[in-house]
Amino acid sequence: MATQLGLTEDQKTEVEKFRADVVEPSMSRLVILDFWAEWCGPCKQLTPLLEKVAADYADKGVVLKKVNVDEDKFIASQFQVKSIPTVYAMFQGKPVADLTPARTEGQLTQMLDQILGQLPIQGEAQQQEAEIGPHIEMGEKVLADGDHERALSIFGQLLEMAPADPRVISGFVRTLVGMGRIDEAREMLCQIPDAVASDPTIVRAQAALELAGDSAMAAEDLAPLEAKVATDPDDLQARLGLANALIASGDRDAAADHLFAIIEADREWNEGAARDRLLKLFEVVGLEDPWVSQQRRRLSAILFG
């Protein structure tokens, strides 16, 4: 029996169910809408992937909803579903992206990250980022300025708020390294979850720890090393030791100069030790840092000039 809107009672039921299950959640969250059927083999293969990614992104305001095309034929027809699986991203009641081409976790997460970066979705992760993001930036600035005590206080408070955030862990570890508390930094890195071990910020902290171990020379040992290099500029081992001591003292410019001097003299000396140390220094400073970009151009000019 048709209603005044031209829909049958069954169609009206479908619409009301879709509105409650999909449209209303999409007003504040990003809905992954999966059109599927029991007889569809590819749909069943895709389901575990969609469920995993939706669970991983739940704190970012993402939720998975499924529409059985055999049970909700009218809804499927409204979306002009021609084949299954068909997957859309829905926000505020409208499709905002076709996720159907994404058949791997990497492809799907890349698309979701792009979508989430463009929409005003406020999941727990976004809310936490808005709360702690500025404090992380402050901690990094304080650390860069060399105020390790204050940086440790900032990152310590952030650890209580977001103990699994790799940026916070990295900042705390690099602060410990800067204070010479190497064993504590090493112990903390050993305890991080495997899920964040490969995060670029954690890699940066690991590089700082490794570099600190290689550059254990104290600043007061600079004078004899400087004298030795001045007496014999071709003593690459002494120059490398001086670079390590300069890194330990916080003089990255002078350290880089000596590492570049080694590379210019013999880029393969000691199995490329100077280049490896320089790249490690880049990781510690931060690959997006303008200083690193400048030094990378300098390195390229030496290697490929």
Side-chain angles (χ1 to χ4, degrees):
M1 178 179 178
T3 68
Q4 61 181 357
L5 296 177
L7 302 180
T8 66
E9 289 296 335
D10 288 343
Q11 290 172 342
K12 183 178 180 181
T13 299
E14 281 187 44
V15 170
E16 292 300 325
K17 179 174 177 290
F18 183 78
R19 181 178 291 115
D21 291 349
V22 178
V23 175
E24 290 182 7
S26 78
M27 300 312 292
S28 59
R29 290 180 286 177
L30 186 71
V31 174
I32 299 176
L33 182 59
D34 177 30
F35 290 92
W36 72 291
E38 288 286 353
W39 47 264
C40 173
C43 297
K44 294 181 179 180
Q45 293 176 352
L46 186 61
T47 291
L49 170 62
L50 296 178
E51 291 177 343
K52 180 183 184 303
V53 171
D56 291 343
Y57 277 66
D59 66 339
K60 297 181 180 180
V62 175
V63 62
L64 173 65
K65 298 294 182 178
K66 302 175 72 67
V67 172
N68 188 316
V69 296
D70 290 333
E71 297 176 357
D72 298 309
K73 295 179 181 179
F74 179 71
I75 297 299
S77 69
Q78 295 302 298
F79 281 84
Q80 299 181 344
V81 175
K82 305 295 184 183
S83 62
I84 52 175
T86 290
V87 185
Y88 290 117
M90 295 274 294
F91 181 62
Q92 295 186 343
K94 299 178 181 179
V96 293
D98 184 359
L99 303 179
T100 306
R103 295 303 174 93
T104 68
E105 183 174 350
Q107 292 171 343
L108 184 56
T109 56
Q110 183 178 10
M111 294 183 74
L112 288 177
D113 288 340
Q114 184 176 7
I115 296 167
L116 290 170
Q118 298 173 346
L119 298 176
I121 296 171
Q122 289 298 313
E124 292 180 11
Q126 290 92 336
Q127 293 173 0
Q128 184 181 74
E129 175 59 29
E131 183 177 356
I132 73 172
H135 295 289
I136 292 176
E137 291 182 9
M138 179 189 300
E140 290 290 351
K141 184 179 185 306
V142 171
L143 177 57
D145 290 341
D147 189 345
H148 294 100
E149 291 291 344
R150 187 180 173 207
L152 192 69
S153 174
I154 293 172
F155 284 116
Q157 294 177 48
L158 288 170
L159 272 177
E160 296 180 3
M161 300 168 60
D165 192 309
R167 299 168 302 171
V168 175
I169 297 171
S170 174
F172 195 83
V173 168
R174 285 182 287 112
T175 302
L176 290 174
V177 170
M179 300 174 75
R181 294 161 62 174
I182 305 301
D183 290 340
E184 294 176 62
R186 184 177 292 110
E187 182 179 355
M188 186 169 186
L189 278 182
C190 288
Q191 297 176 354
I192 62 172
D194 292 339
V196 300
S198 60
D199 187 275
T201 59
I202 297 299
V203 173
R204 183 182 180 189
Q206 291 169 335
L209 184 59
E210 293 172 15
L211 198 60
D214 293 337
S215 308
M217 193 80 66
E220 55 264 26
D221 294 318
L222 283 171
L225 282 169
E226 288 173 336
K228 192 171 184 179
V229 171
T231 301
D232 184 4
D234 294 328
D235 187 342
L236 301 187
Q237 189 63 53
R239 196 179 285 276
L240 180 62
L242 178 55
N244 284 334
L246 287 165
I247 290 171
S249 69
D251 191 346
R252 67 186 185 189
D253 289 310
D257 286 342
H258 286 287
L259 293 173
F260 279 123
I262 295 173
I263 296 170
E264 286 183 306
D266 183 355
R267 68 182 63 177
E268 299 303 328
W269 174 78
N270 196 12
E271 298 182 348
R275 182 174 55 192
D276 291 344
R277 194 62 46 83
L278 189 62
L279 294 177
K280 191 73 68 178
L281 180 59
F282 291 171
E283 288 183 342
V284 174
V285 175
L287 298 181
E288 302 301 322
D289 191 281
W291 182 85
V292 172
S293 298
Q294 180 183 8
Q295 303 306 316
R296 279 184 176 277
R297 289 192 294 270
R298 187 178 173 186
L299 178 60
S300 296
I302 295 174
L303 296 178
F304 307 109

